[in-house]
Amino acid sequence: MSPTTDGRRPRIVVVGHGMVGHRFVAAAVERGLTATHDVVVLGEEPRAAYDRVALTSFFEVGADALSLLPGGAYDDPRVTLRLTTAVVGIDRDARTVTTAEGEEIAYDELVLATGAAPFVPPVPGKDLDGCFVYRTIEDLEAIRTAAAPGPDGTRKRGVVIGGGLLGLEAANALHQLGVEAHVVEMAPRLMPVQLDETGGATLVRHIEKLGLTVHCGVASTEVLDDGTGRVAGLGLRDADPIAADIVVFSAGIRPRDGLARDAALEVTPRGGVLVDERLRSVTDPHVWAIGECAAPAGVMYGLVAPGYAMAEIVVDTLLGGTAGAFTGADMSTKLKLLGVDVASFGDAFATTPDALELVFSDAVAGLYKKLVVGPAPDAPDSWVLLGGILVGDASAYGLLRPMVASGMLLPDNPEELILPESRGALQLGLPDEAVVCSCNNVTKRDLLDAVDVDGAHRCEDLGATKACTGAGTTCGSCVPTVKGIIEDYFTAVGKAVDTSLCEHFALTRQELFDVVAVHGYRSFTEVVEGHGTGRGCDICRPTIASILASQLGGHVLEGETGALQDTNDAYLANIQKNGTYSVVPRIPGGEITPEKLIVIGEVARDFGLYTKITGGQRIDLFGARMEELPAIWTRLVDAGFESGHAYGKSLRTVKSCVGSTWCRYGVQDSVQLAIDLELRYRGLRSPHKLKGGVSGCARECAEARSKDFGVIATEKGWNLYVAGNGGATPRHAELLVGDVDTATLVRYLDRFLMYYIRTADRLQRTAPWVESLDGGLERVREVVVDDALGLGSELEAAMARHVDSYFDEWKATLDDPAKLARFVSFVNAPDVPDPAITFTTERGQVRPAEPDAPVDLGASIPVGAPR
Amino acid sequence: MSWTPVCTVDDLPRERGVAALVEGRAVALFRTYDDAWFALDNRCPFANASVLARGIVGTRGDVPFVASPMLKQPFGLRDGVCLDDPTVRVQAYAVRVTDGVVHIGPALTDQPTDQEAP
Ligand code: SRM
Ligand SMILES: Cc1cc2nc3c(=O)[nH]c(=O)nc-3n(C[C@H](O)[C@H](O)[C@H](O)COP(=O)(O)OP(=O)(O)OC[C@H]3O[C@@H](n4cnc5c(N)ncnc54)[C@H](O)[C@@H]3O)c2cc1C
Ligand code: SF4
Ligand code: FES
């Protein structure tokens, strides 16, 4: 595209930095539109685009985790993002927009992505203090503040107006904030747009089981005033008012098309900028509208997937493409409430001529499943799926929805699809063009291309496929189907989703863990003879060593297990590039007395070791020859040190900040807790290393949220975060529970760690482990906090056994001549230092000499006799 | 090269290795599960460090091997060939056990290795 008349590059101005505006910019960058255009994005909210679909999880994970643009800026210098900048006017003749500060910004193309606003019915009292909507992070922050119990601990009461998808989500959020929650719906049933009468009635029972109160078929008349301008309750027509402190309006949304109206762009009567199939305003060819503010062919779409499709089409069109046209979208929905399964898809109300309904209903079990089928257009006597409703068990949703979209013929007994316990491996029956992930428009073919063993991507597993195609990364409802498809594919090509640990065991680490527990095995030989082949390798031997250590305790160098350990465990030290070892004594919580510091200094000096403060708040002594380790540790153990397990797949450190004892901000004693936790979990063998952190207040000086478990002090107790990671793929730990006392914290942490140890893969840190669990963190919370599997006491008992049986590995080694016998340089010359190891000095300390020639020991070294 | 006695059978548990000094060279001695004995040069050519005796001993198919403790490259115990890259090889030596004493003997082939004998 040529430059504009005044010589600058053509400029696209995007109004609104929500989910769709962000998608537009991301696509513009990715597809090269910014090579020719500048993009200026003006967003009214104080933060960059975030995942509004997952808005409710803000209460658990906080704003940062929701961000779609974590750095707050695009890498592409052609894109300027300005936040807290509302656009108040458009001058279409001058092609400028005006911001609230009065600044005028010229555009060549204007993209409106202003989204929608919650509709607040014009009832008296709607502006009272205590009335909210549920749309932005700021709304949720305000609701959280209002939901806090009164000074005397009284529980707040809340009413949500609107029993649709969002209303129920909001009501459940209120409930989880500890508010006594009511839902008021004018229609005779919940989710009237998606569910029929029986479906709605079944849902009410599920919702009430969650602890919410549902009022259907009642109209609200006014929000009652307590006399001071605050909400006192909700008045109802023909029913008693509901007393309440909080009222949340969730009675639908209205496109934010005010800017367009003021600029005389045509909008539809029900709201939304009227645009053509390419999302171009029917009034002005230089104005486009995408997302919830747009009404292609007069219809607005209140879901994110259609908005994403629109964004892609506009980018394509501006690039000169002609491929895309927006011709409608899948409005299927699945409710995202913990523990309630509801889905509605396609023609759920059987409005298609000749449609028939197949219904399975079990009122006792709270199940209602309906399939709407119709005659196949060009296959006589065959049927296609048109839509359906699932309440109580929506596990078939991921499979059924793409069946509707693709129009595939139904199997002979379609009722099989909804009968309990009869779900077969139907995924492969889906035609290739079936859209499996509607949020990201990923078809079955896209998935198969991604995993194709001869293809360009060759994704090996679910995680890689998700990352590669984007499938399953938004609402997550398609993940089981995506998983089924790729597993079926791997089975079909004989690449039997190889979950084998290695050539010796056709089992996963988790399966091996169970096998060892069930059979009560105590040695590698028993396990490999019972369930494996050969004599193992560097993969399965340390894995089984770790499993045996987790289950039996005992010394890692005892008997046969000594031969299973990686070199680090085998010598209880970390091997370095020249074959020497490093020594890391435990310094719990990073707290150390001057006396102990002096001992470390003396040991380092006497053995000529390089010393460095580690990233884990302790001190590493490098350059110890293997045969020196016992002498070094004798000195350290005598001074009260113990193994720091820097060599093991086990607990490393629990980092702490100085906390309330010294810090003027500290609200709890973070050092004490860090020491207690480090001592509790020291020596615990696990699938990968474990790290913890404890901060004394929200300033988070201990960086606890980058650890496998992180604890942050609050006024009331502790917040426990889990599954953080530093390393190559950093991840912030997420809140598991908040404001708990120390005993509860330790109980949940015991369960969390043991659950991880039992079920994670070899060398899988907690962050990827949680991600790999079906249900992710929610699943962890069910098991650890809600004790959904009834495993809680067993996991705690397993940890108690670990705590009781802990001993210091180094001290035990020094006390055992058999183990010490391994620490020799040469079996026939135990006191001859390996001459291959040489050092030089640098900055006043030793470092390995660079061995550039082959190691040549010379012939002059005396050879000892066999002992 | 003659036969050098280096230790007794009981000095080395099964499926472990230990370094021995043989005519000035560091040689890694291994004992497998079926009580077979093997010896390789101790130097890992990938890591350029004298460490092979400290690797994990196991099998690949029927081949007994040791994984270098440094970066896990596997070396066949019978001939010292790297199982993942047959162009790399460490010298293997003969081993024999007489009256409970383990002896390390001559180099097993005259193929050149990347570590010449002194
Ligand atoms: C010594 C130390 C660096 C230093 O000089 O500060 C270090 C040294 C090593 N780290 Fe580390 N890490 C050290 C702190 C860290 C930290 C910071 C922390 O713990 O707060 C991290 C990021 C936090 C995390 O783990 O999430 C860290 C992330 C890693 C990783 C990446 C893990 C991941 O999940 O991606 C590896 C590789 C691995 O474990 O597979 C690694 C591996 C290693 C190894 C074991 C690499 C190796 O195989 O030789 C290094 C040898 C340690 C030794 O010889 O003693 N090290 N390493 C630190 C020892 C801390 C301690 O006191 O125990
Ligand atoms: C609680 C909740 C749950 C949801 N769950 C789902 C779900 O499960 N599945 C699903 O598909 N969808 C769901 N949605 C809907 C989904 O979030 C929206 O469809 C999506 O966010 C629409 O994107 P958008 O960019 O059009 O609008 P938005 O994300 O709202 O972005 C519009 C942005 O434009 C800004 N803006 C407006 N006017 C101006 C102006 N004049 N100047 C500057 N900036 C302006 C707004 O402040 C906003 O930041 C949910 C929504 C909510 C609130
Ligand atoms: S996290 Fe809080 S208590 Fe701890 S040192 Fe930092 S400011 Fe102080
Ligand atoms: S359908 Fe929502 S992420 Fe796939």
Side-chain angles (χ1 to χ4, degrees), chain A residues 390-401:
Chain A
L390 303 169
V391 180
D393 171 15
S395 52
Y397 171 76
L399 179 59
L400 295 175
R401 191 187 45 70

Side-chain angles (χ1 to χ4, degrees), chain A residues 467-821:
Chain A
C468 178
T469 60
T473 55
T474 308
C475 76
S477 69
C478 60
V479 172
T481 307
V482 171
K483 187 160 177 267
I485 288 175
I486 64 178
E487 284 178 358
D488 283 1
Y489 169 78
F490 283 140
T491 316
V493 298
K495 186 189 171 216
V497 193
D498 200 358
T499 50
S500 314
L501 190 62
C502 63
E503 71 171 69
H504 306 99
F505 289 97
L507 299 169
T508 62
R509 179 186 179 278
Q510 182 182 358
E511 288 163 341
L512 266 174
F513 193 100
D514 293 341
V515 160
V516 171
V518 169
H519 294 267
Y521 291 139
R522 309 188 69 84
S523 73
F524 176 79
T525 299
E526 286 174 331
V527 186
V528 79
E529 287 180 352
H531 305 270
T533 56
R535 287 303 301 174
C537 62
D538 49 307
I539 293 174
C540 59
R541 289 180 152 255
T543 304
I544 289 176
S546 157
I547 291 173
L548 291 171
S550 302
Q551 295 189 7
L552 303 174
H555 197 293
V556 295
L557 299 185
E558 198 62 55
E560 198 198 73
T561 42
L564 303 179
Q565 312 294 350
D566 250 325
T567 187
N568 285 356
D569 281 287
Y571 296 93
L572 306 175
N574 296 47
I575 199 166
Q576 305 297 321
K577 58 196 282 188
N578 63 348
T580 61
Y581 288 84
S582 76
V583 170
V584 190
R586 187 167 296 293
I587 300 181
E591 183 186 85
I592 185 165
T593 59
E595 287 70 25
K596 282 188 158 179
L597 264 179
I598 289 168
V599 171
I600 290 188
E602 286 173 347
V603 168
R605 185 193 55 210
D606 296 352
F607 288 86
L609 305 176
Y610 166 84
T611 55
K612 178 177 182 302
I613 310 289
T614 71
Q617 292 192 332
R618 46 193 189 171
I619 300 172
D620 206 343
L621 312 176
F622 293 83
R625 291 168 186 271
M626 190 241 274
E627 65 274 19
E628 290 176 327
L629 290 171
I632 292 172
W633 272 105
T634 303
R635 294 265 300 265
L636 292 172
V637 167
D638 285 348
F641 285 104
E642 61 177 357
S643 166
H645 296 99
Y647 47 82
K649 298 296 176 234
S650 54
L651 181 80
R652 297 288 165 87
T653 62
V654 179
K655 182 169 175 174
S656 80
C657 75
V658 62
S660 60
T661 30
W662 290 92
C663 176
R664 65 203 157 118
Y665 295 113
V667 291
Q668 307 279 353
D669 188 349
S670 49
V671 177
Q672 183 67 57
L673 183 69
I675 294 174
D676 290 348
L677 293 178
E678 184 158 341
L679 296 183
R680 182 171 183 79
Y681 302 124
R682 64 186 163 180
L684 181 66
R685 287 314 207 265
S686 47
H688 205 314
K689 59 190 167 198
L690 284 168
K691 299 180 179 183
V694 184
S695 282
C697 83
R699 286 169 190 77
E700 244 285 70
C701 297
E703 300 171 306
R705 288 193 63 199
S706 67
K707 306 299 183 203
D708 298 277
F709 58 90
V711 183
I712 301 179
T714 68
E715 301 277 350
K716 293 181 220 131
W718 308 101
N719 282 352
L720 172 58
Y721 298 82
V722 295
N725 206 169
T729 316
R731 190 82 52 81
H732 262 144
E734 290 182 24
L735 185 65
L736 186 68
V737 281
D739 290 334
V740 290
D741 59 23
T742 309
T744 313
L745 175 95
V746 169
R747 194 164 78 236
Y748 289 155
L749 204 41
D750 282 1
R751 293 179 180 182
F752 171 77
L753 293 174
M754 271 299 164
Y755 184 42
Y756 163 66
I757 288 173
R758 292 200 170 186
T759 60
D761 249 340
R762 160 184 179 267
L763 295 187
Q764 187 177 40
R765 294 277 305 256
T766 54
W769 167 68
V770 168
E771 193 177 313
S772 75
L773 288 177
D774 235 345
L777 183 72
E778 216 31 74
R779 180 67 185 157
V780 173
R781 187 173 292 117
E782 280 168 34
V783 174
V784 170
V785 181
D786 308 337
D787 198 7
L789 299 182
L791 272 178
S793 49
E794 191 184 324
L795 298 172
E796 287 165 41
M799 188 63 83
R801 276 197 301 280
H802 161 76
V803 174
D804 291 344
S805 61
Y806 170 82
F807 57 88
D808 173 24
E809 263 159 28
W810 257 113
K811 179 164 183 348
T813 305
L814 297 175
D815 291 345
D816 180 351
K819 298 192 179 81
L820 279 181

